[in-house]
Each structure stands twice: as structure tokens, then as C-alpha cells.
Amino acid sequence: MLRSIFLYLSKARWARRLIVSWNLSRSVARRFVAGETLDQAIQAVRTLNAAGLNATLDHLGESVTTEAEAVRSADDYLAIISRICESGIRSNASLKLSQLGLNVSYELCRGNVQRVVRQAAECGLFIRIDMEDTSTVDRTIELWRTLRKEGLVNVGLVFQSYLYRTEKDMGAVLPEGCRLRLCKGAYKEPADLAYPKKADVDAQFFTLAVSMLEGLGRRNGFRPVFGTHDANLLTRIRAHAERAGLAPRDVEVHMLYGIQRGEQDRLVTAGAVVRVLIAYGAYWFPWYMRRLAERPANVWFVVRSMFAG
Ligand code: FDA
């Protein structure tokens, strides 16, 4: 119930206007958002790097509706790439296709992503394309294939274990050399497309993780990447990896900025490669609502912070 409310709010313009204009909500959101500027995000990367963690920068802003906004978003990513390459920090970048114009036109989006991925390739930087709601999955995979055909191999995708189709999609793209991050899925999807029960989403995550560990993911020479804060699931996945003869460093774990910080350190100490997705930017509202939807207990954190402040 709470999950549905927060997912509804994440798309509601009236809620965004109301909450973003409120200074207090801005400061509470800072638990999950590194700041509004690139300088603040770079500072957060440096702090994590010093603790042995890698980063990926995500400039917040989804679903742009005009060509000008989409081009501007791509330009922002070019600036991020330049800063990463100049500063020598250990970070790559993650982006959303809707932010680069997917809902305006596929061709516009493709041109924008090509610009970003080409510039990243020039300094050996990897770009991760996040997966959004199901209406975008086919176009996201198609775009990845187009980039791949052009020889751009520094780009990978995110798949969601809550979608029934993911097993088939994974079976198709892994042999094509796709670098995948597996996550559970953060959008509201109907029961005919996605597992409605969390237990099934978790079970499917493990099943898909096993196929990534046992061959398909490894054969193309990349580390399987698991984007989750679920410590129990990660323990099972890492134990399976060990049984399959993998070293701790052969498994990469991705988590979000501000979530399970202690677990991130614990994994680094245990030898895993850990990357933290650092979200930043002025357009933080939908991102923040999705984090509340994932864990209603965060609402109590918000309420406590407001009374404490
Ligand atoms: P789960 O929800 O089962 O939570 C397990 C435990 O983790 C909880 O008990 C709690 O302790 C902690 N936890 C989880 N979420 C928390 C939160 N918001 N606040 C505080 N604690 C929390 N989704 C998508 O659809 N497309 C995408 O491209 C991405 N990309 C992505 C990248 C990375 C690096 C991560 C970690 C996640 C994503 N996601 C995503 C989001 C993902 O699909 C999912 O919604 C969240 O990760 C929450 O699910 P968990 O797997 O963490 O486990």
C-alpha cells in the first residue's frame, strides 16, 4: 500500500512542486542524494574511494519531454565524464534513457547516448544504462545492440529480477557480451509482467544470479554485478560463487549512496568489489520517492529528522 503511494507520488508533478520547494525536505533527502552539484558528487566519490569503494555517478533527471532538455542532459553527462577523467577518481557513470530523450524520440535518444558513450570510450570509461519501466525494455536492449555494432563495448545494461521476461532477455544478451547489473526492480508493474510477491522476486534474483555466475556472465570476461542491499541474498550468492570456484573479487556488488553503508565496508573487507551509485542533482524528487517506496521504514527516518531538525 505505502509502496504504491510513494510510486504514485514519484510521478505526481503537484507533489514534486510542493515537496521540492520545502527546504527541510531537501535536507532530509540528503541521506540518499549526495547534493545538487557535480562538485558535491565528486567530493562524495572521493570520500568513498578513500574507504576502498568505487562509485558510479547518476545525474538525477528522468523523463524529459523536449529535445532541448534531452540534449542538455547529454551535455551534462559529457561534463561528468570530463570531470571523472580529469580528476582520476574511481568512478564511472550511470544514465537513464528517458533522461536522454527516449520519450521524445528513439532517434534523438540514440544520438545523445552515442555522444556520451563515445566520449567515455575515449578515456576508457564505462557507462551503465539503467533500466526503467517495462515499456522501455525492448528499446533499451535495441539501443545497447546498436552501440555494440558500432564497436562501443564500454556500455552495459541493468536487468530486473521482478520481470518474467528477464530470464529470456538475459539468455539472449549475455552470449552477445553484455555487461549486466542485476537488480530487483523499482517500478510499479502489473502482475502479468512482473512477480507481484517479493519472495518470488528474491527467489528469481538468486536463480538469475546463478546463471550469471555459472558461465554465461563469466564467459565474456566480465564480473557479474549484483545491485542489491539484501545482505542475506548477497551471502548466498557469494557462497555460490565460491563453490563455483570464483574468488571474492570476481563478484561485484553495487549499492546506493546512503544505504547499508556498514555492509558496503564489510563486503570490501571480505574482498568483494563494491561500487556505490551516487545520485545527485536538482531533480531528486522521483528518486527519493522510489527509495521511500522500497523501504517504508525510511518514512520514520524522515519524520524523526523533521522533529529533530
Ligand atoms: P530489498 O528491497 O529486499 O531490501 C533488502 C534490505 O536492504 C532491506 O531490508 C533494507 O535493510 C535495505 N534497503 C533496501 N532498500 C532500502 C532503502 N531504500 N532504504 C534503506 N534501506 C534499504 N531499479 C530499477 O528498476 N532499475 C535500475 O536501473 C536500478 N538500478 C539500481 C542500481 C543499484 C546500484 C541498486 C542498488 C539498485 C538499483 N535499482 C534499480 C533499485 C532496485 O531495483 C531495488 O528497488 C532496490 O535496490 C531495493 O531492493 P534491494 O535489492 O536492495 O532489496
Side-chain angles (χ1 to χ4, degrees):
M1 168 76 168
L2 266 178
R3 179 172 189 267
S4 299
I5 292 172
F6 284 118
L7 289 178
Y8 160 73
L9 288 176
S10 72
K11 294 191 168 172
R13 280 168 187 259
W14 66 266
R16 193 173 80 214
R17 272 198 303 273
L18 184 76
I19 295 177
V20 169
S21 64
W22 202 14
N23 275 342
L24 185 57
S25 56
R26 251 203 192 101
S27 61
V28 174
R30 282 295 292 270
R31 177 182 168 191
F32 302 118
V33 180
E36 296 200 3
T37 66
L38 181 54
D39 281 340
Q40 288 170 309
I42 298 277
Q43 188 46 49
V45 176
R46 287 190 198 285
T47 305
L48 291 172
N49 282 175
L53 298 150
N54 305 298
T56 183
L57 283 178
D58 186 327
H59 186 226
L60 295 173
E62 298 166 52
S63 224
V64 304
T65 51
T66 67
E67 180 171 347
E69 285 174 310
V71 170
R72 209 166 34 243
S73 294
D75 291 343
D76 288 340
Y77 267 95
L78 297 182
I80 293 171
I81 290 165
S82 298
R83 281 294 295 279
I84 294 174
C85 295
E86 283 158 20
S87 62
I89 52 173
R90 293 202 313 280
S91 182
N92 56 38
S94 298
L95 55 82
K96 289 190 171 39
L97 294 187
S98 66
Q99 192 176 347
L100 271 70
L102 187 63
N103 299 329
V104 182
S105 93
Y106 177 79
E107 292 307 315
L108 167 72
C109 179
R110 192 186 61 177
N112 281 333
V113 177
Q114 277 166 331
R115 265 196 313 137
V116 171
V117 175
R118 273 195 205 121
Q119 179 171 321
E122 281 170 21
C123 69
L125 200 74
F126 179 77
I127 299 294
R128 176 80 55 187
I129 300 179
D130 285 345
M131 191 61 84
E132 299 176 68
D133 64 81
T134 34
S135 70
T136 66
V137 177
D138 284 328
R139 285 173 295 165
T140 304
I141 296 173
E142 185 186 335
L143 185 45
W144 173 78
R145 285 198 172 113
T146 304
L147 296 168
R148 184 88 190 165
K149 274 191 204 126
E150 288 175 16
L152 292 167
V153 293
N154 59 321
V155 58
L157 297 177
V158 177
F159 275 3
Q160 300 147 321
S161 73
Y162 65 9
L163 293 185
Y164 303 129
R165 62 174 287 174
T166 294
E167 193 167 358
K168 195 159 164 248
D169 289 336
M170 195 180 265
V173 302
L174 280 180
E176 293 173 43
C178 188
R179 295 167 70 166
L180 275 187
R181 176 203 287 150
L182 180 63
C183 70
K184 289 185 188 173
Y187 297 82
K188 187 161 173 53
E189 300 293 355
D192 59 330
L193 297 178
Y195 294 99
K197 290 197 188 122
K198 184 173 172 352
D200 294 330
V201 177
D202 293 356
Q204 184 64 357
F205 193 113
F206 185 72
T207 304
L208 295 168
V210 167
S211 8
M212 288 169 78
L213 290 168
E214 283 186 353
L216 278 178
R218 283 170 70 195
R219 236 175 277 146
N220 59 27
F222 303 119
R223 277 191 207 103
V225 176
F226 305 107
T228 179
H229 312 97
D230 190 332
N232 291 335
L233 190 52
L234 285 171
T235 301
R236 287 174 62 212
I237 290 170
R238 295 180 68 248
H240 191 90
E242 195 181 341
R243 283 196 297 277
L246 295 178
R249 285 195 68 74
D250 293 335
V251 172
E252 188 161 328
V253 176
H254 290 188
M255 292 194 183
L256 302 180
Y257 180 79
I259 301 181
Q260 297 279 49
R261 186 65 188 81
E263 185 64 14
Q264 294 169 16
D265 286 337
R266 205 186 62 72
L267 285 162
V268 170
T269 306
V273 174
V274 181
R275 189 174 295 276
V276 177
L277 187 150
I278 299 182
Y280 82 97
Y283 195 80
W284 48 266
F285 180 75
W287 169 268
Y288 185 48
M289 287 298 116
R290 285 206 299 278
R291 302 295 76 81
L292 295 183
E294 280 157 8
R295 193 161 184 254
N298 286 336
V299 178
W300 298 116
F301 165 81
V302 172
V303 173
R304 271 203 318 275
S305 310
M306 285 179 167
F307 283 104

